[in-house]
Amino acid sequence: MSETAHAHDSAAEQERASYFWSRMGSLLAFAPLGVWTFFHVFANMASLQGAEAWQTSVTAHSHPASLVATTTIVMLPILIHTIWGIKRLTTSRPNNQRYGFFNNLRYVLQRASAVGVLLFLGAHVWLAFLHPRLTTGSPEAFKDIAYEMGHHVPTLIVYVLGTLGVSYHLGNGIQGFCMSWGIATTRDGLKHVERLSYVAFVVLYAMCLAAIYGLYRAGAAMPVMTAP
């Protein structure tokens, strides 16, 4: 086999691998991650009903196996999607010649939000999931996160901005998923999917703000802790 043919086969193989991982990355972003995110945020909206409702909705698991299953279903796709996303960040660039300013702006915002979401999720998983279980053996208590929301402004800002990034990244990713999997290929189809992505973004972020407000309201009503 000539060097030219070998190089051609190698390039074709790399292209097939890139195509496969592009489809898998978009699929994992939509399901289970996107679907789980909507349910997770909806569960956190129980904060509007008080501590007991939030604790039952967010942290109660009927069996340890359900926690393991949920963790596997969520954490593994997050890891795969993160690795795929980091590779895309290093190899993809806006296309100003083919696409207009607005589409390229959305492209840049999608990549920027990916970095912000990665940092936010890392902090959120550690502080709200891993740390309390490793230190106390129990899920995070409502009073702890509510107090932070109500009396620690940086925490409140991080959650407001972090969930904004998550909502935008997921909403915009719906369009990428539909294009990658051939669900929307015509001009009209792409317009409908674009509108759907906007709706998903607004709805998800409204749900996030409602959950945050419930935690903030409960925390603000708590007395300020003083150092001993």
Side-chain angles (χ1 to χ4, degrees), residues 91-167:
T91 58
S92 302
R93 297 291 184 274
N95 190 337
N96 295 300
Q97 293 181 346
R98 184 176 179 184
Y99 300 106
F101 173 79
F102 181 67
N103 284 331
N104 273 284
L105 176 61
R106 289 182 60 185
Y107 176 93
V108 172
L109 289 176
Q110 182 72 352
R111 298 302 179 266
S113 67
V115 176
V117 168
L118 179 60
L119 297 174
F120 171 70
L121 288 182
H124 179 62
V125 169
W126 170 250
L127 294 174
F129 184 76
L130 294 176
H131 185 261
R133 285 171 170 82
L134 292 174
T135 55
T136 66
S138 303
E140 184 176 29
F142 177 85
K143 62 181 180 61
D144 293 335
I145 188 172
Y147 183 86
E148 290 296 319
M149 289 289 189
H151 296 287
H152 191 244
V153 175
T155 297
L156 180 62
I157 293 175
V158 165
Y159 271 88
V160 169
L161 295 180
T163 55
L164 173 62
V166 170
S167 302

Side-chain angles (χ1 to χ4, degrees), residues 23 26 31 57 64 66 87 105 109 132 134 138 161 170 174 178 180 191 204 214 218 223 228:
R23 288 168 65 88
S26 64
S57 179
S66 64
K87 184 176 181 180
L105 176 61
L109 289 176
L134 292 174
S138 303
L161 295 180
L170 178 57
I174 291 176
C178 292
S180 176
K191 287 183 178 179
L204 180 58

Side-chain angles (χ1 to χ4, degrees), residues 36 61 65-75:
W36 180 85
H61 295 276
S66 64
L67 177 59
V68 174
T70 301
T71 303
T72 303
I73 290 172
V74 175
M75 295 302 178

Side-chain angles (χ1 to χ4, degrees), residues 25 28 38 52 56-57 80 82 94 110 117 154 159-160 186 188 201 212 214 225 227:
L28 291 175
F38 268 94
E52 185 176 353
T56 300
S57 179
I80 296 173
T82 298
Q110 182 72 352
V117 168
Y159 271 88
V160 169
T186 65
D188 288 340
F201 163 60
I212 291 171
M225 299 180 184

